Amino acid sequence: MIKPRTETPDITINLVDDTIWTLSEQNPSNFTLLVVYRGKHCPVCKKYLETIQEYIPDFENRGVNVVAVSADLEERAKATYKEWDIKNVPLGYEFPIEEARSWGLYISKGIKEEPEEFIEPAIFIIRPDRTLYASSIQTMPFARPEIEALIKSIDFVLDKKYPARGEA
């Protein structure tokens, strides 16, 4: 488990636009929002990422860079990007399960049409120096932070210079 105010692991992820995204190379004004989603098989993830798509300008106006990643293989991730309404959400794939564990994420074994193994959802709000500001880690697709509430929280944090909490 990564504690607030501590440095997050660096990650490098392939994006569906055939570029590479590396956390340590990000230079947001305020935060990087790392969204971990279950994969193409998850209708709840589809709705969540499509909601993020609606709010990309709001994140950008607050100096927040957004990226979404999953353990899906390239072909599935590219199909996800094509089929879902997420054209402005940088979408990464093949997030290694072992790296996900180092982030404290939950891993599930697939049932029915799910992949054999996949990462459960999470969000990480990371400062430009790569220290964790806040996180929300789930064991299943439900009970994620609502995007509009998240944006309002970011407004509060920036306005009040509210410190990261929960480091003990």
Side-chain angles (χ1 to χ4, degrees), residues 23-112:
L23 179 58
S24 61
E25 294 175 0
Q26 302 307 301
N27 192 23
S29 297
N30 291 305
F31 298 107
T32 294
L33 177 64
L34 173 64
V35 180
V36 180
Y37 74 103
R38 300 170 91 217
K40 186 178 186 300
H41 66 278
C42 179
V44 179
C45 296
K46 179 180 188 287
K47 182 166 178 42
Y48 199 72
L49 292 187
E50 287 179 344
T51 302
I52 289 172
Q53 165 66 36
E54 293 175 35
Y55 287 95
I56 287 292
D58 297 284
F59 284 114
E60 289 172 348
N61 290 339
R62 288 159 177 81
V64 178
N65 292 354
V66 176
V67 66
V69 301
S70 77
D72 273 353
L73 299 177
E74 180 178 12
E75 183 178 333
R76 282 177 63 91
K78 287 187 174 184
T80 298
Y81 190 72
K82 185 177 180 180
E83 295 170 20
W84 295 4
D85 183 17
I86 54 173
K87 68 180 187 293
N88 296 318
V89 178
L91 193 69
Y93 59 90
E94 296 178 9
F95 184 26
I97 298 291
E98 286 310 311
E99 280 191 50
R101 285 189 173 104
S102 75
W103 283 76
L105 299 175
Y106 293 96
I107 311 303
S108 288
K109 301 286 183 195
I111 55 175
K112 299 182 183 177

Side-chain angles (χ1 to χ4, degrees), residues 97-156:
I97 298 291
E98 286 310 311
E99 280 191 50
R101 285 189 173 104
S102 75
W103 283 76
L105 299 175
Y106 293 96
I107 311 303
S108 288
K109 301 286 183 195
I111 55 175
K112 299 182 183 177
E113 294 104 34
E114 296 172 346
E116 184 178 317
E117 198 172 47
F118 59 91
I119 306 165
E120 292 295 347
I123 63 164
F124 295 91
I125 302 172
I126 304 164
R127 291 199 177 273
D129 67 359
R130 260 189 42 223
T131 57
L132 181 64
Y133 180 78
S135 64
S136 175
I137 299 172
Q138 305 301 324
T139 62
M140 58 178 33
F142 315 110
R144 299 182 213 193
E146 292 182 21
I147 301 305
E148 191 170 321
L150 182 59
I151 288 172
K152 288 179 183 177
S153 297
I154 289 169
D155 286 341
F156 176 84

